[in-house]
Amino acid sequence: MALRRALHFVFKVVDRTKTATFYRDVLGMKILRHEEFEEGCKATYNGPYDGKWSKTMVGFGPEDDHFVAELTYNYGVGEYRIGNDFLGLTLQSSQAVSNAKRLNWPLTQVEDSLYLTEAPGGYCFYLIDKEQPDCDPVQKVSLAVSDLQCSIHYWSALLGMKVIEKNEDKKIALMGFSDNQCKLELQDIGGAVDHGTAFGRIAFACPRDQLPDIEALMKKEKQKILTPLVSLDTPGKAMVEVVILADPDGHEICFVGDEAFRQLSAMDPKGNELLDEAMAADKSDEWFAKHNKQKTSA
């Protein structure tokens, strides 16, 4: 399945300013795209912020050859509950370690040349204190599972990933579609996986003609399909097709047609500017305070 590739992980955020500081100034990532979605109705409970949300893509380079983060911000949500499902994202960058120290961003040394830090919201990031490589610095995304063998079967036999490493003692498996892209690490936590309300989603691209086959196989194997194959129309951009699945522990997995997605995911040179403008224009905290309301706890 070398034609399949890891794209991004979705994080829900409540403080875009602190989040932007973490990804841009601490990690050293770039704003690849920023989009605002006006789905609210000014007559509804949350006024102009009901249903309004934004999506920001950040990474060390374009999604064509980098694994990136999708930051989803809902104007009317003030809190998410973190579960035990997302165990961390690991990247290699001594510059990120230096940035964190310079900015007094909390760092915990886990072992030699490895630090643990947190993005706003409580998401764990592991920083390898070595020179940033020329290729993608993001090495792996780690997810919790309740039955390692069951999960390995799902991701390998059904989705086509290969097992790169396996540690029986630590109950960890490192998997991927190829050696030169971000890997997926599965760790058996010996109990149920709790997704909280902050649960994310991992996305992969595949040739468009593989999408019906993926859906058909999941139906045949009686696996969960959250969103059957559907076309998503983005005005002014490419129409993409996706199918969204859930693995045995409920981790959401999106497969998107690669050909159209490469057009949709092109870097926007105005991304950084658009994010800064959106943050400056965001008066949601003031609006909720003025109307004696609180943002929702999701």
Side-chain angles (χ1 to χ4, degrees):
M1 297 297 180
L3 294 176
R4 297 182 182 180
R5 59 191 179 94
L7 296 177
H8 60 254
F9 193 87
V10 180
F11 296 97
K12 296 173 182 173
V13 305
V14 298
D15 188 328
R16 280 192 299 189
T17 301
K18 288 183 179 178
T19 298
T21 296
F22 176 75
Y23 285 94
R24 287 194 293 200
D25 302 336
V26 177
L27 299 185
M29 290 183 174
K30 305 170 185 175
I31 305 300
L32 307 176
R33 301 188 304 284
H34 177 78
E35 297 173 90
E36 293 282 326
F37 299 91
E38 301 283 350
E39 295 187 350
C41 171
K42 295 186 178 181
T44 55
Y45 176 78
N46 288 335
Y49 300 107
D50 196 77
K52 182 178 172 66
W53 66 288
S54 74
K55 178 173 69 175
T56 308
M57 308 303 292
V58 296
F60 288 102
E63 239 167 323
D64 278 359
D65 49 15
H66 291 76
F67 188 84
V68 311
E70 176 180 317
L71 310 177
T72 299
Y73 171 70
N74 289 281
Y75 282 78
V77 177
E79 183 182 19
Y80 293 100
R81 183 177 67 82
I82 293 286
N84 62 5
D85 53 342
F86 177 79
L87 299 181
L89 184 149
T90 300
L91 61 92
Q92 179 177 318
S93 173
S94 56
Q95 184 60 56
V97 174
S98 297
N99 293 343
K101 292 178 178 178
R102 175 175 52 84
L103 296 170
N104 293 317
W105 199 276
L107 276 178
T108 301
Q109 187 162 6
V110 178
E111 56 187 59
D112 287 344
S113 300
L114 182 65
Y115 291 85
L116 168 64
T117 189
E118 286 188 0
Y123 305 109
C124 291
F125 280 70
Y126 290 90
L127 310 181
I128 300 172
D129 193 9
K130 295 182 181 179
E131 185 177 355
Q132 187 171 308
D134 293 331
C135 57
D136 188 8
V138 179
Q139 296 193 349
K140 63 183 178 182
V141 173
S142 302
L143 301 179
V145 300
S146 59
D147 184 328
L148 185 59
Q149 289 307 123
C150 177
S151 293
I152 289 175
H153 172 76
Y154 180 90
W155 287 91
S156 60
L158 302 186
L159 294 185
M161 278 192 172
K162 64 178 180 178
V163 179
I164 298 170
E165 294 178 16
K166 187 177 178 183
N167 188 316
E168 297 284 1
D169 295 332
K170 294 183 178 180
K171 295 185 177 180
I172 293 176
L174 187 68
M175 309 184 70
F177 286 121
S178 70
D179 295 331
N180 63 349
Q181 60 176 263
C182 178
K183 311 299 187 301
L184 174 66
E185 182 179 72
L186 304 175
Q187 180 169 350
D188 194 324
I189 59 173
V193 175
D194 174 17
H195 295 276
T197 58
F199 63 90
R201 175 186 295 161
I202 191 165
F204 301 91
C206 67
R208 184 263 159 228
D209 59 11
Q210 290 184 10
L211 291 172
D213 297 334
I214 291 173
E215 181 180 47
L217 179 60
M218 292 300 156
K219 288 180 178 178
K220 177 185 175 184
E221 297 294 328
K222 295 181 171 53
Q223 298 294 328
K224 187 173 291 187
I225 299 174
L226 299 177
T227 302
L229 182 57
V230 63
S231 297
L232 302 177
D233 186 19
T234 304
K237 296 186 179 182
M239 179 181 292
V240 298
E241 293 176 87
V242 304
V243 59
I244 302 176
L245 317 171
D247 80 350
D249 287 294
H251 291 291
E252 293 193 6
I253 309 157
C254 176
F255 275 93
V256 58
D258 189 50
E259 299 86 348
F261 186 77
R262 286 184 185 271
Q263 299 177 43
L264 181 70
S265 63
M267 287 182 63
D268 182 355
K270 294 184 178 180
N272 208 54
E273 178 184 346
L274 291 172
L275 173 60
D276 286 338
E277 289 177 353
M279 291 191 297
D282 183 0
K283 305 301 180 185
S284 59
D285 288 340
E286 292 90 333
W287 188 91
F288 279 89
K290 180 180 178 180
H291 291 81
N292 296 315
K293 299 179 185 296
Q294 288 188 335
K295 289 190 176 184
T296 304
S297 293

